[in-house]
Amino acid sequence: MSDDSRWIGAALALAERGIGRTAPNPSVGCVIVGAGRVVGRGWTQPGGRPHAEAMALAAAGEAARGATAFVTLEPCAHVSPRGPACADLLVAAGVARVVACGTDPDPRTAGQGFARLRTAGIDVVEGVRRAEAERLNAGFLARRHHGRPHVTLKLALSLDGSIALADGRSRWITGERARAHAHLERAWADVIVVGGGTLLADDPTLDVRLPGLEERAPRRAVLSTSLAAIPPGARIGEARLLRDIAELDADPSVLRVLVEGGAGVATTLLAADRVDRLLVYRAPILLGGRRGIGDLGLADLAEAHGRWRRVDALELGPDGVELFERQRSICHPRESGSPSPAA
Ligand SMILES: NC(=O)c1ccc[n+]([C@@H]2O[C@H](COP(=O)([O-])OP(=O)(O)OC[C@H]3O[C@@H](n4cnc5c(N)ncnc54)[C@H](OP(=O)(O)O)[C@@H]3O)[C@@H](O)[C@H]2O)c1
């Protein structure tokens, strides 16, 4: 692995800290390296400002002069009422080199950040570990490219694809390590959604039960066309009732949605092609119970192929998790509505 790739890895790890808290902005990480050592680090702060580069440059001070900035997204080229353009800050700080993952699709930046750096004589390298950076900011990119949030569907299945016993009980299918992994996914979401059936059957809390991350529980929502209100005393607490998941499309504070079932919701969202990522936990048990996914209305087997690509797999004690991404071509915002700009 090259040094550039390694330092970008450190910047990606910083960017991860902001996922789920920076909407409407992407979560970016920045490491400034001078003479082989880190002189500044930053990541996008809750609410989207300050930006990562501004934080890292403030920490580096004079040590930024002649240094290299490793950043997970193109530095912004636009001045907002909430802060200066990061490309201008990097120029003013006198960095010699900028290494970045990919271009910011925000039309106010979209290549202009890199151009400004090059005009100032800074050596710019683009495209380092781009796929990982895009995965981190899948929510921001889905809004930009498709005009809606990115949706992950989480399912905990037995080997035979059941999500619950025949009588509806599903606690617990997977073990502690798998559940802890799922709680980290919750911390990365802006909103977590369950169906009305799960609300009534399981009375879930949907909180983040990981030491130090308890405050990171996302907003909750329940999908149902018939529920008049969230039942008083439900453990979910304050939750938004959604008649249609598309209601979240108009809310720029929602970049990443985590759907935690049950089967009805999984089936309707998959049939409507509203799922971008599948998080499938599988326990080594056989239940012969309720199927996790119902009829998707496929006319032909060929329709099922080529949609999903496995991008990761992990062992979590006795269980496993596999991640799949929906293969889509990018549709630009002009074709699908106009997402609100980042700040
Ligand atoms: N193993 C797991 O990963 C897991 C996770 C969660 C739950 N579960 C289990 O799954 C079972 C519950 O599953 P379920 O299928 O009965 O319930 P569900 O999927 O949680 O909820 C189904 C209800 O959600 C609403 N709904 C579904 N799609 C919708 C859409 N696109 N827009 C608006 N509303 C929509 C409908 O309510 P209306 O009829 O009111 O419109 C539908 O009746 C329980 O046994 C639970 O323990 C397992």
Side-chain angles (χ1 to χ4, degrees), residues 137 143 153 282:
N137 272 315
R143 252 200 193 280
L153 171 65
R282 203 180 290 271

Side-chain angles (χ1 to χ4, degrees), residues 12 21 107 109 196 272 309 338 340:
L12 285 166
R21 326 173 85 186
T109 292
R309 190 165 74 90
S338 43
S340 323

Side-chain angles (χ1 to χ4, degrees), residues 154-158 162-165 167-171 173 194-202 222-227 242-245 260-269 272 281 290-292:
K154 180 217 131 178
L155 291 167
L157 302 176
S158 62
S162 302
I163 56 156
L165 288 169
D167 67 6
R169 279 176 295 156
S170 65
R171 287 184 171 168
I173 289 179
V194 291
T198 298
L199 176 75
L200 299 177
D202 295 351
V222 176
L223 259 178
S224 168
T225 56
S226 65
L227 268 182
L242 297 173
R243 305 290 173 212
D244 187 326
I245 196 151
E260 292 210 13
V265 162
T267 304
T268 61
L269 297 188
Y281 295 88
R290 289 197 185 181
R291 281 169 59 202

Side-chain angles (χ1 to χ4, degrees), residues 76-80 105-110 112-113 116 144 341-343:
C76 65
H78 62 275
V79 179
S80 113
D106 186 321
R108 297 167 301 171
T109 292
Q112 297 171 70
R116 203 171 293 177
R144 291 271 135 214

